[in-house]
Amino acid sequence: MKFAIIMPFYNAEKRLSLSINSIIKQSYSFLKHVEVLLINDGSTDSSRTIAKRYAEKYPDNIRVFEVPNGGPAKARNIGIHNVQENTDFVGFLDADDILSSNMLENMAAFLEQSDVNMFVPAFYYLDDFGEKQKISPHKLNYRFMQGNRVVNIESEPLAIHFYIGGTFLRYESLKEFSFDETLHFGEDQLLITQFLLENHNYGLIADAGYYYYRDMKGKNSLVSSSWKKPERYTSFLQKVYQTYLATSKEKFGTVIPYVKNLIAYHAKLFFYKENVYFNEILNVAEQKAFVLELQQIFNEVGASTILALDTPLVVKEMMLSISQNGWPVRFETLPLKEIPLVTIKENYRIGKPAVIELILEEQLNTLPNDGRFVAVTRFGECSAEIVTRKSEQKIWDIVVRQADTIERAVFKLKPYQSKVQFFYKDSTKKTSIADVRVMSSLLGKVKRNIKLKRDFK
């Protein structure tokens, strides 16, 4: 099996060697089976020298291409056009990310059992806080819980995939596609989605990992900076999301659930607190065009898909408000539940009391029907401390939760309170919220962290 790995880089001197070494040290013979195409996208630091040094050491396996700075789409296309014809699969690696050492071996073994044109490994964040590093799984890693397998996007519409890092595509099939060079973000998900709408299925490699590096102190990545560019808004919607909708209708005669889930999952990012540049970047006319484009897209996606998202209620309420009202944006909350809607957050620190927080999703000034949240253990019952918002919560400068409304109910447990049942009690009834086993949760978290770090090493 012959693999080609394309790696564009721009001023990546800090981590470029780590990334290249993760390919060279693969358990599947690098010298026999792997070609690396390093695309220097106009770097001005020493990363060009680093790349040249590897090419000189491995002249049969590593090639370096020098191009003027033109963005990752152009760099990747140059890589595809220079892949050797005897290549079976082409993969992509960003210049600060890392492949697990067993990735190519496990992929080759998977291909002996399954005939697919695309496959991906499990995806992990490698967060660097300076002296401290944290490894955490991507939200979409639930796809890998059943092990190595083939996913069909029509029968598993929630198994969405849109990032290029660690993705491998059959070279003969990839030749029919190219990255849109007019896009400087989202070009990877556009190609992947068009590829899947054509091929319908892809493979999951659960026992291999792609480690995506995030500089949590610097936060200067292409992804984070893209929110400050006007083309990240209306133009992006038209070139990416609208292409998904049009292609799905062309191929399937309708917008299939997979495409609806993909758009909803990705579009929610416009409303997260770290992406709040809407008013700063766009003038009023541009804001109107963007919101009306979003309204059209959300109406295609549908309210049921938006409501099913695993995201804070305020984000779903904003998406539905845009879908219903268009421009100008008029934020509307959803009807209140009889039992307050909560998200459970468990905080465990060794040597400290366990803290369980019930985050109230809805906007409430008081709990309905003289209600209260209680925790029940074998030692008795205790009520939560109710914490209100100190300030308004906003999306795009629009108030979505008022100050002084209830934000969370907090329980600080004693060390001996290891098994806890949480209830909502009002004047008429007592409703179960959740059961938590503190020691099991704590040990489970420790074991998961140890396993992630062991697998990474």
Side-chain angles (χ1 to χ4, degrees):
M1 185 66 64
K2 180 67 179 294
F3 293 99
I5 298 178
I6 295 172
M7 185 191 300
F9 64 90
Y10 173 74
N11 290 353
E13 61 183 5
K14 290 183 179 180
R15 293 181 57 85
L16 183 59
S17 291
L18 288 171
S19 300
I20 297 173
N21 286 337
S22 76
I23 303 173
I24 294 172
K25 295 178 180 179
Q26 288 290 307
S27 56
Y28 196 68
S29 175
F30 167 73
L31 297 177
K32 292 181 180 179
H33 301 290
V34 185
E35 174 190 27
V36 181
L37 296 91
L38 302 175
I39 318 298
N40 181 15
D41 190 23
S43 297
T44 58
D45 66 356
S46 64
S47 52
R48 176 182 181 273
T49 302
I50 295 170
K52 288 288 187 182
R53 186 166 66 242
Y54 277 98
E56 290 170 359
K57 185 174 182 179
Y58 301 100
D60 296 331
N61 300 86
I62 298 179
R63 289 185 285 160
V64 179
F65 298 85
E66 304 284 346
V67 299
N69 182 255
K74 185 175 182 179
R76 291 184 183 121
N77 282 338
I78 290 172
I80 293 171
H81 295 152
N82 285 278
V83 168
Q84 296 178 5
E85 285 298 321
N86 65 339
T87 298
D88 295 298
F89 274 82
V90 177
F92 297 88
L93 174 64
D94 287 348
D96 49 6
D97 299 342
I98 296 172
L99 307 179
S100 65
S101 60
N102 64 342
M103 181 178 291
L104 297 184
E105 181 180 7
N106 289 5
M107 287 181 172
F110 180 83
L111 288 168
E112 292 179 2
Q113 308 295 327
S114 303
D115 184 24
V116 293
N117 290 332
M118 173 179 140
F119 49 83
V120 298
F123 188 96
Y124 300 94
Y125 293 113
L126 181 61
D127 294 341
D128 189 351
F129 295 88
E131 296 180 358
K132 185 177 179 181
Q133 287 187 340
K134 177 183 176 182
I135 302 171
S136 55
H138 192 283
K139 263 190 169 184
L140 293 176
N141 274 9
Y142 62 77
R143 296 172 292 168
F144 299 89
M145 293 179 65
Q146 300 174 46
N148 296 354
R149 62 192 184 92
V150 176
V151 165
N152 184 284
I153 64 171
E154 293 180 85
S155 58
E156 292 192 56
L158 292 176
I160 58 176
H161 184 77
F162 56 85
Y163 45 81
I164 197 66
T167 299
F168 283 74
L169 304 107
R170 192 179 297 275
Y171 180 45
E172 284 301 315
S173 299
L174 179 59
K175 287 179 182 178
E176 302 173 13
F177 298 85
S178 63
F179 293 95
D180 186 337
E181 296 182 12
T182 67
L183 291 170
H184 291 270
F185 32 79
E187 78 290 339
D188 54 345
Q189 65 166 284
L190 177 57
L191 180 142
I192 289 170
T193 302
Q194 290 178 305
F195 190 92
L196 285 175
L197 290 175
E198 181 68 34
N199 290 274
H200 301 184
N201 58 37
Y202 67 100
L204 295 172
I205 312 296
D207 46 5
Y210 182 93
Y211 295 88
Y212 176 85
Y213 176 77
R214 295 192 296 189
D215 183 353
M216 303 304 289
K217 295 187 70 177
K219 296 186 179 180
N220 292 319
S221 71
L222 179 63
V223 173
S224 61
S225 63
S226 72
W227 297 102
K228 301 178 183 180
K229 300 179 183 296
E231 57 267 30
R232 182 66 177 84
Y233 296 88
T234 304
S235 177
F236 176 85
L237 300 183
Q238 293 170 339
K239 290 183 177 181
V240 180
Y241 295 167
Q242 290 287 14
T243 299
Y244 297 167
L245 297 171
T247 305
S248 180
K249 291 174 182 177
E250 176 189 343
K251 300 288 185 183
F252 299 92
T254 186
V255 181
I256 61 174
Y258 177 89
V259 169
K260 293 180 181 182
N261 286 311
L262 172 61
I263 292 176
Y265 181 94
H266 195 266
K268 67 184 181 182
L269 299 176
F270 282 110
F271 311 101
Y272 279 17
K273 63 181 179 181
E274 60 266 31
N275 306 326
V276 292
Y277 305 103
F278 173 76
N279 291 321
E280 176 184 333
I281 302 302
L282 306 179
N283 61 38
V284 174
E286 291 168 334
Q287 291 175 24
K288 179 180 179 180
F290 171 64
V291 168
L292 291 177
E293 193 75 32
L294 263 183
Q295 181 185 28
Q296 180 184 349
I297 290 168
F298 287 162
N299 285 337
E300 294 270 17
V301 168
S304 60
T305 300
I306 292 172
L307 285 169
L309 284 170
D310 179 16
T311 198
L313 180 63
V314 289
V315 172
K316 293 187 277 192
E317 288 176 331
M318 178 61 87
M319 295 171 76
L320 291 173
S321 295
I322 289 174
S323 176
Q324 294 165 7
N325 303 320
W327 180 264
V329 179
R330 299 188 301 277
F331 178 77
E332 297 178 0
T333 59
L334 290 170
L336 295 174
K337 304 287 186 181
E338 183 180 358
I339 307 301
L341 182 64
V342 299
T343 297
I344 298 175
K345 182 179 179 182
E346 303 175 36
N347 298 305
Y348 300 123
R349 297 175 62 187
I350 296 176
K352 301 288 184 179
V355 177
I356 309 296
E357 296 182 329
L358 306 182
I359 310 299
L360 270 72
E361 296 274 6
E362 300 164 303
Q363 177 166 287
L364 293 168
N365 293 298
T366 59
L367 295 175
N369 300 321
D370 297 321
R372 60 192 180 99
F373 292 101
V374 297
V376 178
T377 72
R378 63 190 182 94
F379 299 97
E381 177 182 296
C382 63
S383 296
E385 174 192 358
I386 300 299
V387 179
T388 57
R389 291 180 174 85
K390 295 181 180 180
S391 59
E392 297 172 333
Q393 182 181 351
K394 295 182 179 181
I395 296 177
W396 300 353
D397 289 337
I398 296 171
V399 176
V400 294
R401 292 292 185 265
Q402 298 285 348
D404 297 323
T405 55
I406 300 175
E407 184 178 48
R408 61 190 187 274
V410 181
F411 295 92
K412 296 180 180 179
L413 304 178
K414 302 297 183 182
Y416 51 80
Q417 293 175 312
S418 61
K419 182 179 178 182
V420 189
Q421 294 176 292
F422 296 98
F423 294 90
Y424 180 72
K425 294 178 66 174
D426 62 22
S427 57
T428 61
K429 58 186 174 302
K430 179 179 178 181
T431 305
S432 176
I433 299 287
D435 292 354
V436 175
R437 294 178 178 271
V438 174
M439 286 306 299
S440 296
S441 296
L442 177 58
L443 290 174
K445 180 179 179 181
V446 170
K447 288 179 179 179
R448 286 192 298 273
N449 289 341
I450 291 174
K451 183 179 186 304
L452 285 176
K453 291 179 179 179
R454 183 187 296 122
D455 291 346
F456 175 71
K457 291 178 180 179

